[in-house]
Amino acid sequence: MMQIDVLSLFPDMFTGVFQSSILKKAADNDLASFHVTDYRDFSLDKHHRVDDYPYGGGAGMVLTAQPLFDAVDHVTAQAKAKPRVILMTPQGERFDHQKAVELSKEEHLIFICGHYEGYDERIREHLVTDELSIGDYVLTGGELPAMVMIDSVVRLLPGVLGNEASPIADSFSNGLLEHPQYTRPADFRGMKVPEVLLSGHHKNIEAWRHKESLRRTFERRPDLLENYPLSEQEKQWINDWQQAKKNG
Ligand code: SAH
């Protein structure tokens, strides 16, 4: 079972997320355990402060090292596996599918959520193993980024999604975006489902899906194709699509 600890000043934010849908199912089935710790409880300051003015002056407060170091010691005291200690920060490496796969192989993840302020640099240098960002924008706290990462990691754990095959077909997992999907009816207000999908011919359906997956990636995320090994046939298709694009 994967152990997930979150260190946050706003633990209530996690209740809905951990008690709904796939994350709840993962916990109910003992595939993952979630625990949120309020690191303010570890502050040795008499007013339970967790931040202080920056040395050298300037605006903004800085999260102090002591409560976070002590909170990490606390959640690792009983742990058997060496944890990944992950700092939520817009300055971190960009989180993506590959990172989710990498983290899904760990036994113990600790997510540290900042709020408003910066971190004392010694937290980055000596406490954490990873610094991750969910994108080039700034949020008020690390709680939402931690939820994003936890959700995408936990859904990859074997047995968490009902249908074992489903994460494999997802966008990014084979380097491409997912192919278009249709469901009933076959004709909705004159908008028809592609014939091949109604044919029952599995090989043709697979081939169509693969080609459409490639087309969609070419149209929306050509950057993903830079690392994708293209077959001769695929190169030909892309050439055709490029020509079609040029000809408007
Ligand atoms: N002054 C800081 C930003 C503070 S934002 C700086 O310039 O780096 C407050 C907190 O929100 C951060 O400590 C971090 O935990 C979280 N946060 C904000 N944006 C984020 C992002 N894109 N990815 C991950 N965490 C983020």
Side-chain angles (χ1 to χ4, degrees):
M1 174 167 62
M2 177 182 268
Q3 185 186 342
I4 295 181
D5 276 289
V6 179
L7 308 187
S8 164
L9 297 172
F10 297 87
D12 290 348
M13 286 180 73
F14 291 87
T15 359
V17 171
F18 289 156
Q19 288 173 11
S20 317
S21 185
I22 293 294
L23 295 186
K24 176 177 179 349
K25 215 183 100 194
D28 288 349
N29 293 336
D30 291 332
L31 298 168
S33 76
F34 306 109
H35 195 250
V36 189
T37 300
D38 186 344
Y39 54 91
R40 191 177 296 284
D41 296 344
F42 289 83
S43 171
L44 296 175
D45 177 83
K46 64 173 183 289
H47 302 296
H48 298 287
R49 282 181 53 176
V50 291
D51 56 4
D52 211 333
Y53 296 99
Y55 276 123
M61 301 293 279
V62 176
L63 285 169
T64 52
Q66 179 272 318
L68 280 169
F69 272 74
D70 283 352
V72 169
D73 283 349
H74 176 78
V75 300
T76 51
Q78 311 290 336
K80 281 167 242 116
K82 201 173 145 40
R84 291 281 281 267
V85 183
I86 308 164
L87 193 71
M88 301 295 99
T89 166
Q91 301 180 23
E93 183 188 341
R94 184 89 62 90
F95 182 75
D96 61 9
H97 177 75
Q98 258 179 320
K99 188 55 81 176
V101 170
E102 180 191 323
L103 294 180
S104 74
K105 298 183 176 136
E106 297 284 341
E107 283 178 46
H108 188 190
L109 302 178
I110 301 174
F111 291 85
I112 298 181
C113 309
H115 226 91
Y116 318 121
E117 310 91 340
Y119 297 102
D120 185 296
E121 191 65 14
R122 288 163 292 192
I123 293 169
R124 296 185 196 273
E125 284 178 349
H126 301 291
L127 184 62
V128 309
T129 57
D130 301 78
E131 297 189 30
L132 295 180
S133 163
I134 58 168
D136 289 347
Y137 41 85
V138 178
L139 299 156
T140 49
E143 284 74 15
L144 293 169
M147 290 176 202
V148 167
M149 293 182 203
I150 291 167
D151 187 278
S152 72
V153 167
V154 170
R155 69 195 294 287
L156 295 173
L157 298 177
V160 167
L161 293 186
N163 175 2
E164 284 278 350
S166 43
I168 295 164
D170 278 341
S171 296
F172 307 114
S173 49
N174 65 354
L176 300 177
L177 300 181
E178 194 175 44
H179 54 77
Q181 302 268 30
Y182 294 87
T183 185
R184 286 186 291 181
D187 184 338
F188 175 66
R189 298 189 179 182
M191 296 176 272
K192 299 208 171 65
V193 170
E195 274 306 322
V196 57
L197 297 180
L198 310 175
S199 68
H201 191 302
H202 292 294
K203 255 188 121 165
N204 289 354
I205 292 173
E206 268 326 297
W208 181 87
R209 286 184 167 162
H210 179 70
K211 186 172 176 182
E212 293 309 312
S213 180
L214 187 69
R215 186 203 304 271
R216 181 153 282 195
T217 312
F218 164 76
E219 285 169 351
R220 299 183 181 204
R221 292 294 305 276
D223 58 297
L224 294 177
L225 295 178
E226 280 161 28
N227 300 314
Y228 183 84
L230 292 167
S231 68
E232 285 311 310
Q233 169 70 84
E234 290 170 332
K235 282 184 197 156
Q236 185 57 52
W237 286 334
I238 287 179
N239 250 323
D240 295 347
W241 295 330
Q242 263 159 348
Q243 282 308 322
K245 225 170 149 179
K246 270 196 211 125
N247 302 335

